[in-house]
Amino acid sequence: MAKLLAGILALELLINKINKLRNIQKWAPLLLDHGFRDKFGAMDTQLDWSAYDSYGAGDAYAAVPAQGGAYGKAAAVCIGNRQCQRTDKGVMCPSFRVTGDAAHSTQHRAATLKAALNGEYGANPFAGPELTAAMDLCVGCKGCKRECPNGVDMALLRIEALAQRWALRGSAPLRERLLAHLPRFAPWLAPLNGVLRLRERLPLLAELVERGLGIAARRSLPRRAARSFLTKAPQEAIGGPEGREVVLLVDTFSNHFDPETAEAALEILRAGGYRVHLARPPAGGRPLCCGRTFLSQGLISEARAEAQRLVEALWPHVARGLPVIGLEPSCLLMLRDEYYALGLGEKIDRIAKAALLLEEFLAREHDAKRLTLAFQPMADARALVHGHCHQKAFGALKALRKVLGLVPELKVEFIESSCCGMAGAFGLEAEHYEISMRMAELALLPKVREAELGTLLIANGTSCRQQIRDGARRESVHFARVLRAALAA
Ligand code: SF4
Ligand code: SF4
């Protein structure tokens, strides 16, 4: 392990050295492999911001920055009325809620970005301290996109800022690259479970990993399941030929780390009489990935490459009108959201419309009176639900409430919580560990600790479940596992 760490660190030092020698800061913008040059020619963005092209047109009062084109316009959507600096209701903004500091609010982030694009922080603002500090505690929860009256999408603005910073630096730091590449090395992680267990038992080893890689020593790390779901699942469609056809998108986390959830979802769909196609790459090869881990770390080219693979794999199904059902909120909902900003072409609109979380699909089927699932009563059972930020941002909790309501006698309570604080890899990062736990302590962890031991804890997000495990020493599950348990024999 020590040798491996030393090797990785040496490689990182070498890359940095080479980057400096190549004066990459000067040439980085030319190295962007997929730039969207705004029409003023002022800046190459890595995401497609053309959706904001018409913002502020004819409005003399719109404070559109001098540079940045449509990206600047997306920041200018913030009108500065500071509604994001309230803590009375809703989920926005977790970093402001926990610090009470306006410097960690959506408004301040937008204002800093506008100032940066107005040249107030020098020629290379993306490498400067002002923007880095303003964005530091943004967890990408999308609370602002839903709750800000103007719909500021700070999660996306931050990703572009990160990508610009990495371009100036020459590459993303080692830790960010490791976290981003999880889907690539997840298939090979099973033999390392013993090492991960050792890290949790030996504080010195955890400290070494923290110092070397910046992964918080006090965090547990997810364990790879002995067998991935897709390696044992059949290649051909599952279910009778007369069943309504659907596609099940098994994400990296459900596939490699929590195959039980994917099995539960498949069982529910089969019990409902559906004919299930598992999304797989048409030409074989490594499993599909939505690109979320890459995008969150500002590795936009890699995210786009993953997204393109997924779009090509899903298109034959979507073109036939099949719904695409997903389990991990931040993975599935990316198809309805960030895929538009990745510049993936015309297929995106139909793919976005076909993409549904399992709970949304089941609720829709129920409303259309097509759902044939039968559930047995769960007398005396209580379920406590924590919604993933992106479920909240896309209004998907209504569907979850409806579907859990189909189980007779199950008492369901939803926790009034903001972001769990884990937010993908945010809580794993050593410098963010404390703030991540403070976010969780705002509402989620106290409610979980209060819950009786027999209470079913439901959290559909992988990182939310990890936060509950680390913070309250309790196990939670995806709702599919509860629903499967309630299926009538
Ligand atoms: S981010 Fe939204 S809520 Fe906050 S100041 Fe800007 S417009 Fe107002
Ligand atoms: S994405 Fe979440 S953390 Fe970031 S500014 Fe918006 S509400 Fe705040």
Side-chain angles (χ1 to χ4, degrees):
M1 185 69 183
K3 273 188 185 164
L4 178 69
L5 274 178
I8 291 170
L9 286 172
L11 189 65
E12 174 71 356
L13 282 174
L14 185 68
I15 290 170
N16 283 340
K17 204 95 188 149
I18 292 170
N19 286 344
K20 277 191 188 129
L21 286 173
R22 289 163 67 195
N23 194 9
I24 202 114
Q25 302 222 347
K26 185 172 166 193
W27 300 107
L30 302 177
L31 300 177
L32 306 185
D33 61 349
H34 200 297
F36 292 93
R37 182 162 286 274
D38 70 68
K39 62 185 170 192
F40 306 105
M43 176 179 165
D44 271 334
T45 59
Q46 294 195 41
L47 289 170
D48 179 0
W49 293 94
S50 60
Y52 292 89
D53 265 344
S54 60
Y55 177 82
D59 180 356
Y61 298 99
V64 175
Q67 294 172 37
Y71 177 52
K73 290 179 179 185
V77 164
C78 170
I79 54 167
N81 63 0
R82 296 178 192 268
Q83 288 200 41
C84 47
Q85 292 171 12
R86 289 173 19 184
T87 54
D88 48 348
K89 64 180 178 68
V91 298
M92 176 177 72
C93 161
S95 54
F96 175 72
R97 280 174 176 249
V98 80
T99 60
D101 184 349
H104 295 298
S105 69
T106 318
Q107 178 272 335
H108 180 75
R109 289 179 185 123
T112 309
L113 184 53
K114 282 189 267 184
L117 294 172
N118 276 327
E120 289 177 33
Y121 305 135
N124 277 332
F126 293 103
E130 297 88 355
L131 209 45
T132 305
M135 297 293 179
D136 184 39
L137 300 188
C138 173
V139 292
C141 68
K142 294 201 171 277
C144 45
K145 184 169 180 176
R146 181 169 172 88
E147 288 181 6
C148 157
N150 286 10
V152 170
D153 192 350
M154 187 51 66
L156 200 62
L157 288 162
R158 174 188 154 274
I159 288 167
E160 179 73 56
L162 258 189
Q164 296 289 332
R165 190 165 144 214
W166 302 153
L168 288 167
R169 188 183 178 272
S171 68
L174 175 64
R175 179 187 65 188
E176 280 70 4
R177 279 183 281 130
L178 275 178
L179 294 170
H181 281 80
L182 176 71
R184 299 272 173 86
F185 57 77
W188 319 110
L189 277 180
L192 286 183
N193 280 348
V195 180
L196 296 184
R197 259 193 296 274
L198 204 62
R199 172 189 164 273
E200 274 155 40
R201 287 204 199 114
L202 299 176
L204 191 65
L205 183 57
E207 278 298 324
L208 266 178
V209 175
E210 177 166 323
R211 289 207 188 163
L213 288 177
I215 304 288
R218 284 171 284 177
R219 277 283 171 208
S220 65
L221 291 176
R223 305 266 164 75
R224 165 79 159 72
R227 250 182 113 188
S228 302
F229 171 81
L230 287 170
T231 52
K232 55 184 175 178
Q235 295 286 330
E236 60 283 358
I238 303 149
E242 71 291 346
R244 184 167 179 241
E245 290 180 275
V246 299
V247 182
L248 181 61
L249 173 60
V250 180
D251 54 89
T252 295
F253 303 99
S254 311
N255 185 26
H256 298 299
F257 297 93
D258 189 14
E260 272 281 306
T261 292
E263 278 158 23
L266 181 58
E267 219 170 295
I268 292 164
L269 291 169
R270 286 185 65 182
Y274 299 97
R275 182 169 167 77
V276 185
H277 299 269
L278 296 173
R280 292 187 189 268
R286 64 189 164 83
L288 296 166
C289 160
C290 65
R292 166 64 70 193
T293 58
F294 296 99
L295 195 70
S296 302
Q297 299 296 342
L299 272 63
I300 295 175
S301 301
E302 290 85 345
R304 183 176 294 113
E306 295 297 342
Q308 266 159 348
R309 281 183 81 228
L310 184 55
V311 165
E312 291 318 312
L314 292 180
W315 180 248
H317 300 299
V318 171
R320 291 200 297 123
L322 271 51
V324 175
I325 301 168
L327 304 168
E328 178 69 30
S330 61
C331 295
L332 184 281
L333 292 169
M334 196 173 158
L335 277 62
R336 301 211 311 239
D337 186 8
E338 291 96 337
Y339 271 28
Y340 283 101
L342 285 172
L344 296 168
E346 288 168 4
K347 292 171 182 165
I348 293 313
D349 211 31
R350 282 190 62 189
I351 286 187
K353 288 191 173 87
L356 294 164
L357 287 166
L358 178 64
E359 58 270 32
E360 293 177 308
F361 172 74
L362 295 176
R364 204 176 69 171
E365 290 292 278
H366 178 260
D367 290 348
K369 308 212 180 319
R370 287 193 294 254
L371 194 68
T372 58
L373 288 171
F375 299 104
Q376 54 187 325
M378 292 182 85
D380 301 326
R382 302 185 79 89
L384 186 63
V385 185
H386 165 71
H388 184 286
C389 297
H390 295 181
Q391 274 178 300
K392 291 172 194 146
F394 284 83
L397 287 187
K398 222 167 80 186
L400 185 57
R401 196 182 288 275
K402 178 175 274 183
V403 174
L404 288 172
L406 298 176
V407 180
E409 297 180 38
L410 175 65
K411 290 177 196 65
V412 183
E413 184 189 348
F414 280 70
I415 304 174
E416 284 290 325
S417 51
S418 181
C419 176
C420 73
M422 191 67 193
F426 178 85
L428 278 178
E429 296 161 3
E431 72 279 20
H432 293 141
Y433 173 79
E434 291 288 350
I435 200 93
S436 155
M437 295 315 291
R438 280 169 60 198
M439 285 181 189
E441 291 293 351
L442 281 178
L444 171 62
L445 294 181
K447 280 297 280 185
V448 167
R449 288 188 200 106
E450 263 171 34
E452 287 172 15
L453 278 182
T455 304
L456 302 164
L457 300 174
I458 295 178
N460 283 7
T462 301
S463 57
C464 312
R465 293 196 290 273
Q466 188 181 353
Q467 185 74 311
I468 291 169
R469 190 178 307 124
D470 286 354
R473 305 279 164 227
R474 298 277 295 265
E475 285 302 318
S476 53
V477 293
H478 192 281
F479 94 100
R481 290 174 65 175
V482 173
L483 209 63
R484 174 177 62 175
L487 284 175

